[in-house]
């Protein structure tokens, strides 16, 4: 029986190095080795929402051409091998997930019903402007059957240009294919429409274009996760500050003890009178159980481990930690997972990740070879 390929996850910084290096650079040489493994079926390389949002962020005109090419690079390396959006893990979504890396609340980024409502509203507004419809005529045309009939009879050019869709992301390819027109006229099923449009959204190269054509924020990570990162950072700062205050209290209590001893109170009594309170310990299992309610069983133990380490008063919290630990929800599905040295060190004593984390990009080919050799024994 042929063993399945190893599942490999690259760090965002790996993609950035590969993208920025000239041909023949050391990062590109490592990539060439990885592609040899990939092309002969030894490994598959997967990407996730975090890779996309970090790698193509800052969608401004100055960076548009570069970031669009970044999305194409992810596609060239990974193909349609995607890790599901982390909240979809609870629903049972698993790698390679047919290339779907981002979804909405119901598992689809865009639903047929939502799109239909948006388009019918816009078409009705356009028609009202062109033909001067009164309120009664508008109300009558709002019924689904009347709208479908009206759209079937439409002989104008509406729906053939991207500007007709007024900010709703659609691609030139989708317009040319006719799927949008057929859908609005009731000649294309909801399932076919949703499959086509969500497959387009999930294409890394196409998503890069969407980010620049439609996004009005300079940073996609801040747009989607900025609030959560701020809350996490504030909570850890408060825990660290409380820990420092608790240490200061301990020092004060020990000073009072010595004062009692100095005035003649025996040591045992002085200790009994100045016993410091016990510092409440964070229970990582409690944290993991709460988070697993959102992302699935067995996916959040590492988050509790991180919080236990990060709550220590000397830990230097970085905003990038949030994205790092969320990406690590995928470690259970991977054979080898690239992360930075700080994260590799932090999880050095975390048994579920044993043998999976790779702290240096340059070490990856040798680690792959070692695992392939182990399989061959």
């Amino acid at each position: 029986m042929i063993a399945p390929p190893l599942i490999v996850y690259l760090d965002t910084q790996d993609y950035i190095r590969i993208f920025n290096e000239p041909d023949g650079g050391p990062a590109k040489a490592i990539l060439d080795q990885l592609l040899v493994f990939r092309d002969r079926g030894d490994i598959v390389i997967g990407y996730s929402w975090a890779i996309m949002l970090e790698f193509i962020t800052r969608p401004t005109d100055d960076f548009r051409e570069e970031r669009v090419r970044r999305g194409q690079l992810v596609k060239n390396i990974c193909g349609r091998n995607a890790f599901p959006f982390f909240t979809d893990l609870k629903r049972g979504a698993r790698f390679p997930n047919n290339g779907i890396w981002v979804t909405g609340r119901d598992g689809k980024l865009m639903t047929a019903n939502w799109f239909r409502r948006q388009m019918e509203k816009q078409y009705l507004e356009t028609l009202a402007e062109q033909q001067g419809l009164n309120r009664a005529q508008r109300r009558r045309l709002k019924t689904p059957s009347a709208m479908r009939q009206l759209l079937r009879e439409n002989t104008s050019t509406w729906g053939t240009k991207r500007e007709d869709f007024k900010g709703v992301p659609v691609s030139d390819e989708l317009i040319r294919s006719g799927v949008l027109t057929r859908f609005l006229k009731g000649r294309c099923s909801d399932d076919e429409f949703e499959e086509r449009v969500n497959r387009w959204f999930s294409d890394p190269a196409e998503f890069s274009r969407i980010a620049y054509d439609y996004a009005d924020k300079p940073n996609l990570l801040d747009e989607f996760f900025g609030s959560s990162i701020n809350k996490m950072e504030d909570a850890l700062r408060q825990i660290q500050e409380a820990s420092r205050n608790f240490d200061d209290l301990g020092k004060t209590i020990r000073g009072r003890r010595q004062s009692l001893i100095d005035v003649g109170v025996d040591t045992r009594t002085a200790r009994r009178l100045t016993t410091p309170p016990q510092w409440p310990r964070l229970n990582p299992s409690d944290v993991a159980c709460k988070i697993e309610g959102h992302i699935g069983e067995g996916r959040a133990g590492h988050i509790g481990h991180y919080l236990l380490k990060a709550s220590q008063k000397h830990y230097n919290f970085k905003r990038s930690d949030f994205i790092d630990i969320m990406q690590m929800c995928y470690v259970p599905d991977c054979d080898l997972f690239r992360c930075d040295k700080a994260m590799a060190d932090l999880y050095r004593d975390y048994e579920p990740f044993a043998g999976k984390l790779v702290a240096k990009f340059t070490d990856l080919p040798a680690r792959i070879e070692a695992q392939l050799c182990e399989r061959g024994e």
Side-chain angles (χ1 to χ4, degrees), residues 290-308:
K290 291 179 181 179
I291 297 175
E292 284 177 353
H294 300 284
I295 63 177
E297 185 176 353
R299 298 278 173 174
H302 71 286
I303 299 178
H305 180 88
Y306 170 83
L307 291 176
L308 193 61

Side-chain angles (χ1 to χ4, degrees), residues 84-104:
F85 194 66
F86 61 91
T87 53
D88 287 346
L89 294 168
K90 186 180 178 181
R91 301 189 184 106
R94 293 292 182 269
F95 181 87
N97 204 37
N98 196 29
I100 305 297
W101 57 273
V102 59
T103 63

Side-chain angles (χ1 to χ4, degrees), residues 266-281:
D266 67 272
T267 302
R268 180 178 297 180
T269 301
R271 285 182 176 175
R272 179 172 55 82
L273 293 174
T274 57
T275 301
Q278 293 293 314
W279 171 246
R281 300 291 295 174

